[in-house]
Amino acid sequence: MNDALPPSPGRLRKAPENFIDATGVRRVFAEARQGRRDFLRGALAGAASGLALAAGTARAQGRETMAAADGEPQILNLPPHSTGLGKPVASDGYGRPSQYEANVQRRPSPGLTQTAQASVSFAPLQSLFGIVTPSGLHFERHHQGWWDIDPTQHRLMLNGSTEQLLKRPMVFTLDELMRLPSVSRFHFIECGANTGMEWGNVAVPTVQYTHGMLSCSEFTGVPLRTLLELAGVDFKRARYVLGEGADGSGMTRTLPMALVESGEVLVAYGQNGEMLRPENGYPLRLVVPGVQGVSWVKYLRRIEVGDQPWATKDEAVHYIDLLPDGTHRQYSSTQECKSVVTTPSGGQALLQKGFHAISGLAWSGRGAVRKVDVSVDGGANWRPARLQAPVMSKCLTRFSLDWVWDGKPALICSRATDSTGHVQPAMRALRAVRGTRSIYHNNAIQTWWVQENGEVRNVQLA
């Protein structure tokens, strides 16, 4: 027997999919304003009821109760796919997921926004492995809907606020950009509002809705610094960059030139080995590692260099942090050190006592993840988790920890530390500084409550 194999591995019931409707969302907000969290039990009860019988059957038919002499029918009896011909090669010119994985989708939250075009969809973090998010499951945030733009008609313009800042205004076609030397890098992208509902004690049931405005991809493109050098930028005078998108929302964002000079900022056309998807900014988008997703301007059409921030509508009115004294932080774009356990997490259920692999994701906009600690008692005691390679700067890092569940209640949470020494804070510590009226940049520790019956719920510790 291999001693490295865990004894008696326990089984897990997946979280229900798409179980919050518009009525449920209104109830969530109403009860949260009253400081109540009992809606969690009700929200999950309906979704889980259809799975209860199956869960009970699974327990009754557990591996430990099977008679060895009976054998395993799925092994002894050959199925049709072992005795017949399958589908022909390239029957699907572009591969698709299995029909049995059709429930794994990015999903919107009904009632979160007034229109479907100015809205968000959440990545199913609880169903993903490793660190790369499939392009078709990448979270979305749009301010005016998404477009499938003809790449032959799309252009990228570079200009300066004055002639002294940029010598040669230039216009590039996509083909011209793709013929320049390119780089490929893995980076996470996180919406500044990710986990925003947790600020006001509004605990949504699953990790898809608490942390799902987060994805990670391999991006391919040309460093923005290369393009600005071609246009004759004066790096001493030009200290800021403005990115402008081609969609009707007029999305424009200021970036400090220091980020561009580092070479990290890309004008990207590739994602996960293929062209960008339309929902992710095809044919061009900015990639700004470590910075909130709104600065990763999609459908990129113009770059302007200047000597001061522009204070556009999406950085002077939106995407700012409201503080307890009524003032707000502006240009607080860096995504701080953060982590979350994805298994077990809200909406799931442990079906058996015994060994379970706790797994999750950690990330930081300031560099690489240095370590992750995991607690099963709400932070009273911590154990170091394993970091799975590769561990890269400003990229998701997968962590895991072996755990034997004894059937008693547990409070599971993770705490990340990045290469700058920053430690992910507890919710109460973050609220002590930031209050409860913010929307953005919530990097607090997330806690999941495993109940005696195995069901997992979202809770916040007092």
Side-chain angles (χ1 to χ4, degrees):
M1 179 177 178
N2 187 346
D3 293 336
L5 294 177
S8 303
R11 287 175 297 130
L12 184 78
R13 188 187 72 203
K14 295 182 179 180
E17 292 273 348
N18 204 27
F19 57 91
I20 302 180
D21 58 16
T23 301
V25 170
R26 287 192 293 270
R27 182 184 172 199
V28 165
F29 279 99
E31 296 198 3
R33 284 193 293 269
Q34 301 172 20
R36 297 172 57 195
R37 298 173 64 83
D38 291 342
F39 67 87
L40 286 174
R41 183 176 300 277
L44 283 172
S49 61
L51 299 174
L53 179 60
T57 302
R59 292 190 185 94
Q61 295 179 348
R63 186 181 301 273
E64 69 280 1
T65 62
M66 290 186 66
D70 294 339
E72 178 70 52
Q74 283 74 14
I75 294 293
L76 298 176
N77 303 321
L78 291 179
H81 58 256
S82 296
T83 59
L85 287 175
K87 294 182 179 180
V89 171
S91 54
D92 289 324
Y94 193 94
R96 295 178 293 177
S98 165
Q99 61 179 320
Y100 302 106
E101 302 298 328
N103 65 315
V104 179
Q105 300 178 23
R106 56 188 173 199
R107 298 185 183 276
S109 179
L112 186 63
T113 59
Q114 295 298 313
T115 65
Q117 285 77 14
S119 192
V120 61
S121 69
F122 300 81
L125 301 182
Q126 72 282 355
S127 300
L128 303 182
F129 312 109
I131 60 174
V132 174
T133 308
S135 297
L137 295 176
H138 194 288
F139 89 91
E140 303 167 271
R141 173 65 170 110
H142 298 291
H143 295 258
Q144 200 257 347
W146 63 271
W147 298 86
D148 194 357
I149 296 172
D150 183 348
T152 65
Q153 301 300 311
H154 191 71
R155 300 292 185 270
L156 173 64
M157 180 175 73
L158 271 60
N159 70 290
S161 299
T162 67
E163 293 182 1
Q164 289 75 26
L165 300 179
L166 195 76
K167 294 180 181 178
R168 295 178 296 277
M170 299 183 71
V171 175
F172 295 89
T173 66
L174 180 62
D175 180 65
E176 289 169 340
L177 291 170
M178 294 181 69
R179 287 190 281 117
L180 292 172
S182 65
V183 298
S184 295
R185 301 192 187 111
F186 290 86
H187 291 297
F188 77 84
I189 173 174
E190 181 183 21
C191 179
N194 198 28
T195 323
M197 293 181 70
E198 303 292 296
W199 274 118
N201 209 30
V202 184
V204 290
T206 72
V207 71
Q208 180 162 10
Y209 291 101
T210 61
H211 290 72
M213 286 189 277
L214 169 75
S215 296
C216 185
S217 295
E218 179 190 34
F219 293 98
T220 300
V222 182
L224 178 55
R225 175 172 183 144
T226 300
L227 300 180
L228 293 180
E229 288 174 340
L230 288 173
V233 67
D234 184 336
F235 282 116
K236 292 184 178 179
R237 294 182 178 180
R239 300 314 303 152
Y240 295 92
V241 165
L242 182 75
E244 178 184 317
D247 63 317
S249 70
M251 175 56 66
T252 46
R253 293 290 299 184
T254 297
L255 298 177
M257 185 63 81
L259 288 176
V260 178
E261 290 178 289
S262 73
E264 285 192 330
V265 179
L266 303 180
V267 174
Y269 46 79
Q271 180 181 6
N272 294 335
E274 61 180 0
M275 295 297 289
L276 290 164
R277 297 289 178 92
E279 300 96 321
N280 293 325
Y282 179 85
L284 290 175
R285 79 172 305 165
L286 277 179
V287 169
V288 192
V291 172
Q292 62 185 352
V294 67
S295 294
W296 297 43
V297 178
K298 297 190 289 289
Y299 317 113
L300 184 67
R301 68 181 296 271
R302 187 171 69 93
I303 294 290
E304 181 177 342
V305 296
D307 57 5
Q308 59 185 342
W310 279 262
T312 65
K313 65 177 176 63
D314 288 294
E315 52 198 20
V317 179
H318 305 294
Y319 296 93
I320 56 178
D321 298 310
L322 184 61
L323 299 178
D325 63 359
T327 61
H328 66 258
R329 299 192 306 168
Q330 190 178 5
Y331 299 114
S332 52
S333 296
T334 300
Q335 297 297 93
E336 301 288 356
C337 185
K338 192 171 178 180
S339 69
V340 65
V341 171
T342 56
T343 302
S345 61
Q348 298 175 351
L350 306 185
L351 301 180
Q352 288 178 311
K353 299 178 184 178
F355 174 86
H356 289 271
I358 296 174
S359 180
L361 296 166
W363 61 101
S364 174
R366 297 194 182 276
V369 173
R370 189 175 70 188
K371 69 172 183 174
V372 177
D373 298 311
V374 172
S375 175
V376 296
D377 55 13
N381 297 281
W382 296 92
R383 291 172 55 195
R386 293 185 298 272
L387 302 186
Q388 299 180 12
V391 177
M392 296 179 282
S393 179
K394 302 176 183 179
C395 180
L396 291 188
T397 296
R398 175 68 64 174
F399 65 86
S400 61
L401 181 76
D402 298 341
W403 177 51
V404 177
W405 183 47
D406 58 7
K408 297 178 182 178
L411 293 168
I412 298 179
C413 51
S414 60
R415 180 183 65 188
T417 303
D418 68 17
S419 54
T420 69
H422 182 85
V423 180
Q424 184 180 3
M427 176 62 82
R428 58 181 175 272
L430 192 61
R431 281 203 181 114
V433 177
R434 300 274 302 281
T436 60
R437 296 187 293 171
S438 187
I439 298 174
Y440 306 103
H441 304 120
N442 179 357
N443 68 318
I445 291 172
Q446 174 72 40
T447 305
W448 306 113
W449 175 31
V450 180
Q451 301 175 105
E452 284 186 299
N453 64 2
E455 292 186 2
V456 186
R457 301 188 183 278
N458 180 0
V459 296
Q460 290 184 8
L461 303 180

